[in-house]
Amino acid sequence: MLRAALKLPGNGGLRPWTYHCLFGLLSVSGLRVGEAQNLELPDVDLEAGVLTIRGAKFGKSRLVPVHASTRKVLADYIARRERMWARRPVSAYLFVSNWGNRLDGGDIRRTFYALSRQIGLRGPADSHGPRLHDLRHRFASKTLLRWYRAGEDAERRLPILSAYLGHVHWSDTYWYLSALPELMHEAMVRLERRWEDRP
């Protein structure tokens, strides 16, 4: 999808780079679409590798660390953005349209659906298929799976993932434990080990 985003028609603007960076960030950070859409330049601390998510769902703000590879992509996008808008006024939002305004949520979704069809994740006439929010679900599920496979107590670490995702209650994150068949398999393996270890 990210390669396809870079081939979007840009009309000399940032559109391909904007969607490449946005969809990539959503896939590696677990951010809600609206949280990424509302990021402003001062919210992106590339030196510290931290995003500040302000007034998100339920009015909570939080800090989200990002990997060095993500910082590199963000830095490249910001440099392109600054070159493009060096002599013209532009919104303070990180992700902007070719007109310099904050990206429209409808356009974000339409672009995601168009790219999904283009790369075969959806049929040409499908009204159902992958959703942007699925990137967040996948991030959470894969994090839990990684913890299980590393032998860590995923249930005990659930409050950490909950805070990272911006959930109000850790129980809101608990349902991710059944979101992937691989997670169910790991849970069954642990349960079987416990039964085998009983005297």
Side-chain angles (χ1 to χ4, degrees):
M1 177 165 290
L2 300 184
R3 283 192 296 270
L6 287 175
K7 295 176 184 172
L8 285 167
N11 300 327
L14 275 179
R15 189 168 189 260
W17 304 104
T18 299
Y19 282 105
H20 175 264
C21 189
L22 173 63
F23 293 153
L25 181 63
L26 291 173
S27 70
V28 300
S29 67
L31 294 180
R32 297 177 180 97
V33 176
E35 292 171 345
Q37 185 184 4
N38 289 328
L39 279 172
E40 295 187 14
L41 287 173
D43 299 330
V44 182
D45 185 340
L46 293 175
E47 193 171 313
V50 174
L51 304 176
T52 302
I53 309 302
R54 300 181 194 281
K57 197 171 181 181
F58 309 111
K60 290 180 72 175
S61 294
R62 69 188 190 283
L63 300 177
V64 174
V66 290
H67 189 269
S69 60
T70 304
R71 291 192 330 234
K72 186 174 184 290
V73 174
L74 284 167
D76 177 65
Y77 172 73
I78 290 170
R80 287 175 188 277
R81 183 188 184 285
E82 288 174 355
R83 282 193 304 272
M84 170 139 186
W85 297 102
R87 293 187 177 89
R88 293 177 281 170
V90 65
S91 166
Y93 288 104
L94 172 64
F95 296 113
V96 293
S97 71
N98 279 350
W99 297 275
N101 303 322
R102 174 179 169 260
L103 277 184
D104 174 70
D107 189 50
I108 294 171
R109 284 169 180 76
R110 284 188 296 276
T111 302
F112 178 79
Y113 298 147
L115 290 175
S116 295
R117 288 184 179 99
Q118 183 182 329
I119 64 173
L121 290 177
R122 284 173 178 250
D126 289 352
S127 60
H128 299 289
R131 304 164 304 149
L132 271 169
H133 199 69
D134 293 335
L135 297 173
R136 179 173 163 85
H137 290 190
R138 183 170 173 77
F139 173 85
S141 300
K142 289 293 188 178
T143 299
L144 288 167
L145 185 59
R146 195 167 46 252
W147 288 344
Y148 267 115
R149 288 183 173 163
E152 298 180 38
D153 188 344
E155 291 85 357
R156 181 171 271 163
R157 297 194 72 186
L158 211 53
I160 296 167
L161 180 59
S162 184
Y164 184 92
L165 292 171
H167 288 156
V168 174
H169 305 288
W170 70 268
S171 57
D172 297 335
T173 314
Y174 196 80
W175 76 273
Y176 286 115
L177 287 172
S178 61
L180 280 180
E182 296 98 322
L183 276 173
M184 292 303 292
H185 172 74
E186 291 296 327
M188 287 301 299
V189 167
R190 281 198 178 188
L191 184 61
E192 287 170 1
R193 269 195 225 123
R194 285 192 183 159
W195 279 103
E196 289 170 2
D197 292 343
R198 290 182 70 175

